[in-house]
Amino acid sequence: MASPLMKILTISGSLKATSFNTGLLRTLAHMAPEGVTVVEASIADIPMFNEDLEVAGLPASVATLKQQIAEADGVIISTPEYNFSYPGVLKNAIDWASRGPVRPFADKPVATISVSPGNFGGIRAQTDLRRLMHSIGAHVLPKPEIAIPQAKLKFDDDRRLTDEATRAMITTLIEKFSAFIRVHNSQASE
Amino acid sequence: MASPLMKILTISGSLKATSFNTGLLRTLAHMAPEGVTVVEASIADIPMFNEDLEVAGLPASVATLKQQIAEADGVIISTPEYNFSYPGVLKNAIDWASRGPVRPFADKPVATISVSPGNFGGIRAQTDLRRLMHSIGAHVLPKPEIAIPQAKLKFDDDRRLTDEATRAMITTLIEKFSAFIRVHNSQASE
Amino acid sequence: MASPLMKILTISGSLKATSFNTGLLRTLAHMAPEGVTVVEASIADIPMFNEDLEVAGLPASVATLKQQIAEADGVIISTPEYNFSYPGVLKNAIDWASRGPVRPFADKPVATISVSPGNFGGIRAQTDLRRLMHSIGAHVLPKPEIAIPQAKLKFDDDRRLTDEATRAMITTLIEKFSAFIRVHNSQASE
Amino acid sequence: MASPLMKILTISGSLKATSFNTGLLRTLAHMAPEGVTVVEASIADIPMFNEDLEVAGLPASVATLKQQIAEADGVIISTPEYNFSYPGVLKNAIDWASRGPVRPFADKPVATISVSPGNFGGIRAQTDLRRLMHSIGAHVLPKPEIAIPQAKLKFDDDRRLTDEATRAMITTLIEKFSAFIRVHNSQASE
């Protein structure tokens, strides 16, 4: 019997057109094995969180994001590092998604990655991101922990990940995360 | 000889019209002694950070905020707590202000406050905010550390801080922060 | 058929004879329902971590602690707050326990509590403790998050927790943690 | 007129005989220019913090450390990373030093470094260490931020730092920290 399809949602913490983080997630989407569908979320249209807006009616971009998270079997977030932590942009999207009667990140399998042009690969942003995801009850993949430093050497001009050693790490991440999701889903369906 | 005027800029981490944090900062503005001018910044119009926008030309709202910070003798930031940390909205504004050739938070005296309806007064958001401000080179007032819990009991319906014990803490904060700024300015002008 | 016994290990982050955290854990042991055995670990004899000591042979106190963690179905850690984080003493014990070929905290159900004489109940120490436990792969109970402020008002002179509202929170914690362990064990035994 | 002597105290977060962090600080001591005396503190004999011990009389090792900090013009701390943060051993020494009527870290110039055999140079330990030092009122040098990864490639068998690029970074650190101390001392003596 064929395995059921698995749906993974990706979220990039950067809005820049030539973002390494976005490029990484697109590369990852192409590397996914048969049976794993990867969908790219967009947080570009999510407004600054304001409870008055929320009361007036959830913005469509937020409703879409929450729906996408709810429908996914797992979420992979890739973050740049600004001022030694995650971008405000990414925190803002997660702040929106973590509120209200429907909280799709609760108990949701989540994997994190970080990419930076510097030497430390955004590891501090990723550490803060994991703390944030734990705080809203996500089920965070502990290992591998992939932080990609010196991005300029590892991506081509179209922001495709070309570095073989890093590609092998991403392959491992996809395998481990898929297994993590399968265990999670089998438990949830008992 | 009269003391020169001192200018303090306030930034609220909440955009909500009835925010306790905004209310606190407005109350504080009215409590400032003669010679201290308090100006309220607005981060409501600051867009999500996107390096492409920055390259295309600094948005006017960001330029204004950076100018206000640069002209102030000190900045007081009051933050709510979302998911155990500062709001993405506030981090986003600071991300913008911390970039580019002019970095007005560098060596700028900064005081932090947090207010929440819960029991812990947003202390974790404030702790993260202090770490963030240190990371961009701000000169952070170490004490007092004011985290105001159970805000509903301490503000009136117009979000004026009415609790006497808390008002006394704010008076102390203003005094300590003014002295902190004066020492800083006297050193800078040598 | 009777439920199998459940064994919970408690670790206090304070070595002081009259510690509120130790008192809390002893009170909790008395509150455990039939079928739940609570054993108190001691970290008082654990030496400062030094890899040279580790190479020379694991100190008996460390071997005992690791054995106790391995045999427990779950671990409850109660921490005071020193300088806005967990005590070095507690981090040191966890540093020892997290190393070597046998890593008993991996995938172990863990619940955290904090107690302080101040207003914030040691919540920042507890937040850092949760981050630490996640980093070594422990399976941390997300809710309830109990931080007990103003301990002097809530314990008697023998450091028994007497405050009824707080006792009710501890009862809830024991129930939730027992259920969390049962789900975990049923999955592990599949 | 000759400059007055400047005294710097170094503290290594590792007790291991062949520690890279200790080796780094010893190398640094040899690199100090004329007029700068570097003294190495030892935290090996500092007991686990226990308030009962403190009440019974400050242990001699703690009294010595506090005296050394008080007499130094500045303190340089080099930390390894255990479980993504500073060692319990180092936190314990700082916990002791931060308590009691005399608090020698208050307003003391402090510089931080981290060294690790891994790829990220212990940067997360160092980030936590900076937060800790800020929380006790130390005056932390913001830049440079030196985290030395892949230590095995950069030290010789006697744990002397031999990597030229890293040695240049340490030279810069000594210069910047000396200047930071001089500004601090000139202000304090007004």
Side-chain angles (χ1 to χ4, degrees):
Chain A
M1 193 185 79
S3 280
L5 280 177
M6 180 179 291
K7 281 188 289 187
I8 291 180
L9 185 73
T10 62
I11 302 176
S12 171
S14 172
L15 302 185
K16 185 166 65 164
T18 58
S19 158
F20 291 115
N21 284 279
T22 306
L24 174 76
L25 292 170
R26 288 180 185 165
T27 306
L28 181 152
H30 283 101
M31 295 169 69
E34 203 180 343
V36 176
T37 309
V38 180
V39 174
E40 186 182 337
S42 169
I43 61 173
D45 294 330
I46 291 185
M48 291 293 189
F49 177 74
N50 178 337
E51 201 178 319
D52 298 336
L53 281 186
E54 191 184 40
V55 169
L58 208 59
S61 57
V62 175
T64 298
L65 178 66
K66 293 183 76 167
Q67 181 77 7
Q68 288 176 312
I69 297 167
E71 288 173 2
D73 294 294
V75 180
I76 300 179
I77 307 176
S78 188
T79 185
E81 183 171 302
Y82 300 165
N83 297 317
F84 304 172
S85 191
Y86 40 63
V89 171
L90 179 58
K91 175 69 160 57
N92 181 63
I94 296 171
D95 285 344
W96 272 108
S98 68
R99 295 174 54 93
V102 179
R103 302 190 175 190
F105 272 124
D107 203 37
K108 180 70 60 182
V110 169
T112 63
I113 312 176
S114 56
V115 189
S116 86
N119 286 328
F120 302 127
I123 190 66
R124 287 176 283 190
Q126 187 174 174
T127 298
D128 276 1
L129 177 61
R130 287 185 172 214
R131 176 166 61 105
L132 175 63
M133 299 315 296
H134 282 301
S135 81
I136 60 175
H139 186 52
V140 181
L141 180 73
K143 301 275 177 184
E145 180 189 57
I146 302 177
I148 305 174
Q150 299 183 312
K152 284 172 191 167
L153 307 177
K154 294 171 183 166
F155 288 77
D156 68 14
D157 287 349
D158 292 326
R159 297 300 188 251
R160 284 179 293 228
L161 177 68
T162 50
D163 181 69
E164 282 306 324
T166 310
R167 287 179 66 94
M169 294 164 69
I170 296 297
T171 298
T172 301
L173 177 76
I174 296 172
E175 288 169 4
K176 298 278 186 192
F177 191 45
S178 300
F180 186 76
I181 288 171
R182 271 188 208 101
V183 170
H184 182 270
N185 284 354
S186 71
Q187 292 166 356
S189 62
E190 274 167 16
Chain B
M1 195 185 80
S3 279
L5 280 178
M6 179 179 291
K7 281 190 288 188
I8 290 179
L9 184 75
T10 62
I11 302 175
S12 172
S14 173
L15 302 185
K16 184 165 68 165
T18 59
S19 158
F20 290 116
N21 284 279
T22 306
L24 174 76
L25 291 171
R26 289 180 183 164
T27 305
L28 180 152
H30 284 101
M31 294 169 69
E34 203 180 343
V36 176
T37 308
V38 180
V39 173
E40 187 181 337
S42 170
I43 61 173
D45 295 330
I46 290 184
M48 291 293 187
F49 177 74
N50 180 336
E51 201 177 320
D52 299 336
L53 281 185
E54 192 183 40
V55 169
L58 208 60
S61 57
V62 176
T64 298
L65 178 66
K66 292 183 79 167
Q67 180 78 7
Q68 287 177 313
I69 296 166
E71 289 174 0
D73 294 294
V75 180
I76 300 178
I77 306 176
S78 188
T79 185
E81 183 171 301
Y82 300 164
N83 298 318
F84 303 172
S85 190
Y86 40 64
V89 172
L90 179 58
K91 175 70 161 56
N92 181 63
I94 295 170
D95 286 344
W96 273 108
S98 68
R99 295 174 54 93
V102 179
R103 303 192 174 188
F105 272 125
D107 203 37
K108 181 70 59 181
V110 168
T112 63
I113 313 175
S114 57
V115 189
S116 86
N119 285 329
F120 302 127
I123 191 66
R124 286 176 283 190
Q126 187 175 175
T127 297
D128 277 1
L129 177 59
R130 286 183 172 216
R131 175 165 63 102
L132 175 63
M133 298 316 295
H134 282 301
S135 81
I136 58 175
H139 187 51
V140 182
L141 181 74
K143 302 274 176 183
E145 181 187 58
I146 302 178
I148 306 174
Q150 300 183 312
K152 285 174 190 166
L153 306 177
K154 294 171 183 166
F155 287 78
D156 68 15
D157 288 348
D158 294 325
R159 296 302 188 249
R160 282 178 295 226
L161 176 68
T162 50
D163 180 68
E164 282 306 323
T166 309
R167 288 179 65 93
M169 293 164 70
I170 296 297
T171 298
T172 300
L173 177 75
I174 296 172
E175 288 169 3
K176 298 277 187 194
F177 191 46
S178 301
F180 186 76
I181 289 171
R182 271 188 209 102
V183 169
H184 182 270
N185 284 355
S186 71
Q187 294 167 354
S189 63
E190 275 168 16
Chain C
M1 194 186 77
S3 281
L5 280 177
M6 179 180 291
K7 282 190 289 187
I8 290 179
L9 184 74
T10 62
I11 301 175
S12 171
S14 172
L15 302 184
K16 184 165 68 164
T18 58
S19 157
F20 290 114
N21 284 279
T22 306
L24 174 77
L25 292 171
R26 289 180 184 164
T27 305
L28 180 152
H30 283 101
M31 294 168 69
E34 205 179 343
V36 177
T37 309
V38 180
V39 173
E40 186 181 335
S42 170
I43 61 172
D45 294 331
I46 290 184
M48 291 293 186
F49 177 74
N50 179 338
E51 201 178 319
D52 299 336
L53 280 185
E54 192 184 40
V55 169
L58 208 60
S61 57
V62 175
T64 298
L65 177 65
K66 291 183 80 168
Q67 181 77 8
Q68 288 177 313
I69 297 166
E71 289 173 2
D73 294 294
V75 180
I76 301 178
I77 306 176
S78 188
T79 185
E81 183 172 300
Y82 299 165
N83 297 319
F84 304 172
S85 190
Y86 40 62
V89 171
L90 179 58
K91 176 70 161 56
N92 181 63
I94 295 169
D95 285 344
W96 273 107
S98 68
R99 295 173 54 92
V102 179
R103 302 191 174 188
F105 272 123
D107 203 36
K108 181 69 60 181
V110 168
T112 63
I113 312 176
S114 57
V115 189
S116 86
N119 285 330
F120 302 126
I123 190 66
R124 285 176 284 189
Q126 187 175 175
T127 297
D128 276 1
L129 177 60
R130 286 183 172 216
R131 175 165 62 104
L132 175 62
M133 299 316 294
H134 282 300
S135 80
I136 59 175
H139 187 52
V140 181
L141 180 73
K143 302 274 176 183
E145 181 188 55
I146 303 178
I148 306 174
Q150 300 184 311
K152 284 174 191 167
L153 305 177
K154 293 171 184 168
F155 288 77
D156 68 14
D157 288 348
D158 294 325
R159 296 300 187 252
R160 283 178 295 227
L161 176 67
T162 50
D163 181 67
E164 282 306 323
T166 310
R167 288 179 65 93
M169 293 163 71
I170 296 298
T171 298
T172 300
L173 177 75
I174 296 172
E175 289 169 2
K176 297 277 186 194
F177 192 45
S178 301
F180 186 75
I181 289 171
R182 270 188 210 101
V183 169
H184 181 270
N185 284 355
S186 71
Q187 294 166 352
S189 62
E190 276 166 16
Chain D
M1 194 186 76
S3 280
L5 281 178
M6 180 180 290
K7 282 189 289 186
I8 290 179
L9 185 73
T10 63
I11 301 176
S12 171
S14 172
L15 302 184
K16 184 165 68 163
T18 58
S19 158
F20 290 114
N21 284 280
T22 306
L24 174 76
L25 292 171
R26 288 180 184 164
T27 305
L28 180 153
H30 283 101
M31 294 168 70
E34 205 180 341
V36 176
T37 308
V38 179
V39 174
E40 186 182 336
S42 170
I43 62 173
D45 294 330
I46 291 185
M48 291 294 188
F49 178 74
N50 179 337
E51 200 178 320
D52 299 337
L53 281 185
E54 191 184 40
V55 169
L58 208 60
S61 57
V62 176
T64 298
L65 178 65
K66 293 183 77 167
Q67 181 78 8
Q68 288 177 312
I69 297 166
E71 288 173 3
D73 294 294
V75 180
I76 300 178
I77 306 177
S78 188
T79 185
E81 183 171 301
Y82 300 164
N83 297 318
F84 304 171
S85 190
Y86 42 62
V89 171
L90 179 58
K91 175 70 160 57
N92 181 64
I94 295 171
D95 285 344
W96 272 108
S98 69
R99 295 174 53 93
V102 179
R103 302 190 175 189
F105 271 124
D107 202 36
K108 180 70 60 182
V110 169
T112 63
I113 312 177
S114 56
V115 189
S116 85
N119 285 329
F120 302 128
I123 191 66
R124 286 176 283 190
Q126 187 174 173
T127 298
D128 276 1
L129 177 60
R130 287 184 172 214
R131 175 166 62 105
L132 175 63
M133 298 316 295
H134 282 301
S135 81
I136 60 176
H139 186 51
V140 181
L141 181 73
K143 302 273 176 185
E145 181 188 56
I146 302 177
I148 305 174
Q150 299 183 311
K152 283 172 191 167
L153 306 177
K154 293 172 182 167
F155 288 78
D156 68 14
D157 287 349
D158 292 326
R159 297 299 188 253
R160 282 177 295 226
L161 177 67
T162 50
D163 182 68
E164 282 306 322
T166 310
R167 287 179 66 93
M169 293 163 70
I170 296 298
T171 298
T172 301
L173 177 75
I174 296 173
E175 288 169 4
K176 298 277 186 194
F177 192 44
S178 301
F180 186 75
I181 288 172
R182 271 188 209 102
V183 169
H184 182 270
N185 284 355
S186 71
Q187 293 166 354
S189 62
E190 276 167 16

